[in-house]
Amino acid sequence: MEYILIIVSAVFVNNILLMQFLGVCPFLGVSNKVSTATGMSGAVIFVIALATLVTYLLQYYVLIPLRIEFMQTVAFILVIAALVQMVEIILKKISPSLYQALGIFLPLITTNCAVLGLAIIVVSKEFAFSGTPQMFNLAQAVVYATASAVGFGVAMILFSGLREQLDLNNVPKAFRGTPIALITAGILALAFMGFAGIV
Amino acid sequence: MNRNNFLIKGIFTENPTFVLILGMCPTLATTTSAINGMGMGMATTFVLIVSNIVISLISSQVPGKVRIPVYIVVIASAVTVLQLIMQAFTPGLYNTLGIFIPLIVVNCIILGRAEAFASKNSVGASALDGIGIGIGFTLSLTVIGLVRELLGSLSAFGFKLGGGDGVLVFVLAPGAFLVLGYLMVLFNGLKSKMNK
């Protein structure tokens, strides 16, 4: 039950993209087509699940025992950058078809703030899903981060569908490109506000 | 490059928010009020200036293949310094901006300027470029914050202007997208009018 609450909360109520504004750059950048949006979402879910697992362990077994929590930002971004590189190399070797699908999105993910953002959120915020507010344990942290990444994917794919429709319409000149995309995203965010209060 | 143009470049021709469309996450998330937007802009400006100066100093020594990781470490160190300074002197702002302070590391503006400008230019020019782009970013964030604050809570820079509550949705998440979208329309419209 607790995990269901975490998942619903992360995917819909606190949607990482539309409510917390993490990962807006790829959201606006590669959401022109449903196919690329799906590829990007897949890569993001994969990397976020792995990155949160590693950074959680790093925080609790290296940074806190050594009392160098202030190095969090530097340590996390290095780990994420290295991890993305490693995933790229491993995927190329063991699963060329998956690499073909996700490959071009992987280098972009290092600078996706959703990855670093979630890594920091799950080790620094207290959550109250089961009674008293407390820090996540490892399983909860990974589930929360992965569900947030799924939420990113849901918003991304919905939005790319809307943008494909927008391309067929005659948009006023000043609105073309990013402005109309932002306004569409605003209306989508309004719709997602309807989920508030579920959890 | 003409050194006197760095301000015009940062504010108009290469405005990071309205022209280059970079650094959208902090732009949308921290502009709930004019003060917050300005704080975020100034924090980013600090990191931008420090990282531009350091990177233009070391860029000739860094091998091309590992330059991106090296730049990221320089930027992350500057952000860590900023975090410690803000925790000490402006704890209120530090708590409001929260996660978006460490996230300055992955702000594409900073890595973008490092790669496109600081690695190829002298220290002085890079510092000026950092100041210009930083001021442009701060101004954009302050304007967006001001509009959202005016519409959402009928106040400006924390001062209440009238009775009533305003339209709350502009302070919430959807308002960020809508206000930025319409401001961009305004910017584009003015630009095409001036070009005529």
Side-chain angles (χ1 to χ4, degrees):
Chain A
M1 188 60 205
E2 187 192 320
Y3 287 100
I4 296 173
L5 277 182
I6 291 178
I7 291 169
V8 172
S9 152
V11 177
F12 296 111
V13 182
N14 294 314
N15 188 286
I16 188 163
L17 203 54
L18 297 169
M19 292 295 144
Q20 302 185 50
F21 306 113
L22 295 174
V24 179
C25 295
F27 179 61
L28 294 173
V30 292
S31 61
N32 288 325
K33 282 198 188 115
V34 176
S35 55
T36 47
T38 318
M40 185 70 185
S41 310
V44 166
I45 294 170
F46 190 61
V47 170
I48 282 182
L50 258 180
T52 323
L53 180 69
V54 176
T55 51
Y56 187 94
L57 295 173
L58 182 74
Q59 171 83 2
Y60 281 97
Y61 293 98
V62 180
L63 297 183
I64 290 180
L66 293 177
R67 298 197 175 173
I68 47 169
E69 290 101 323
F70 66 91
M71 289 295 283
Q72 193 190 48
T73 313
V74 181
F76 278 19
I77 190 70
L78 276 179
V79 166
I80 289 168
L83 199 73
V84 172
Q85 283 277 308
M86 217 168 73
V87 167
E88 203 180 338
I89 295 167
I90 294 173
L91 267 189
K92 214 180 197 170
K93 202 90 185 165
I94 60 168
S95 169
S97 60
L98 194 61
Y99 178 77
Q100 285 247 307
L102 307 182
I104 46 163
F105 301 109
L106 283 172
L108 292 173
I109 287 179
T110 317
T111 51
N112 182 338
C113 44
V115 183
L116 181 62
L118 274 173
I120 296 172
I121 286 175
V122 293
V123 298
S124 59
K125 234 172 155 178
E126 289 186 328
F127 291 86
F129 287 114
S130 50
T132 49
Q134 54 188 354
M135 303 302 277
F136 276 152
N137 62 33
L138 180 61
Q140 288 169 329
V142 174
V143 168
Y144 181 83
T146 314
S148 294
V150 172
F152 176 87
V154 169
M156 187 96 175
I157 292 165
L158 281 176
F159 186 61
S160 60
L162 291 174
R163 274 189 95 169
E164 278 190 355
Q165 293 290 317
L166 271 179
D167 282 347
L168 302 173
N169 289 309
N170 190 12
V171 179
K173 198 170 162 242
F175 281 83
R176 260 172 227 166
T178 316
I180 190 75
L182 280 167
I183 293 165
T184 314
I187 295 167
L188 195 60
L190 265 179
F192 266 76
M193 269 178 80
F195 290 115
I198 287 184
V199 174
Chain B
M1 195 203 84
N2 188 348
R3 284 199 170 193
N4 300 322
N5 278 341
F6 72 97
L7 267 179
I8 298 169
K9 191 178 79 177
I11 298 172
F12 296 107
T13 51
E14 283 184 40
N15 185 300
T17 308
F18 293 110
V19 181
L20 304 179
I21 315 184
L22 290 175
M24 283 293 112
C25 306
T27 308
L28 291 165
T30 61
T31 50
T32 48
S33 72
I35 297 278
N36 289 349
M38 207 162 145
M40 185 69 213
M42 280 156 70
T44 311
T45 308
F46 170 84
V47 176
L48 196 55
I49 296 170
V50 172
S51 72
N52 259 8
I53 291 175
V54 174
I55 285 165
S56 75
L57 280 173
I58 61 169
S59 62
S60 58
Q61 311 292 322
V62 178
K65 271 188 180 165
V66 293
R67 70 181 194 287
I68 299 289
V70 171
Y71 294 170
I72 289 181
V73 173
V74 169
I75 296 167
S77 313
V79 170
T80 307
V81 171
L82 174 80
Q83 273 182 294
L84 294 175
I85 294 174
M86 285 186 74
Q87 247 169 338
F89 295 105
T90 55
L93 190 62
Y94 180 80
N95 286 330
T96 332
L97 299 181
I99 187 162
F100 286 93
I101 299 188
L103 286 183
I104 295 175
V105 180
V106 282
N107 189 326
C108 357
I109 297 173
I110 295 170
L111 195 61
R113 289 328 284 181
E115 177 77 356
F117 195 91
S119 59
K120 296 179 196 118
N121 286 285
S122 69
V123 180
S126 304
L128 286 182
D129 178 73
I131 295 171
I133 298 281
I135 289 177
F137 188 61
T138 310
L139 269 182
S140 323
L141 254 62
T142 313
V143 169
I144 299 165
L146 188 63
V147 172
R148 286 181 68 187
E149 203 184 342
L150 275 174
L151 293 171
S153 55
L154 292 180
S155 55
F157 291 97
F159 297 108
K160 201 88 181 130
L161 294 179
D165 291 330
V167 189
L168 188 64
V169 76
F170 284 104
V171 181
L172 300 175
F177 286 110
L178 292 175
V179 168
L180 182 59
Y182 280 109
L183 281 178
M184 235 173 231
V185 172
L186 201 69
F187 194 90
N188 285 347
L190 284 178
K191 212 168 64 180
S192 63
K193 215 165 224 171
M194 266 152 69
N195 287 345
K196 257 177 206 168

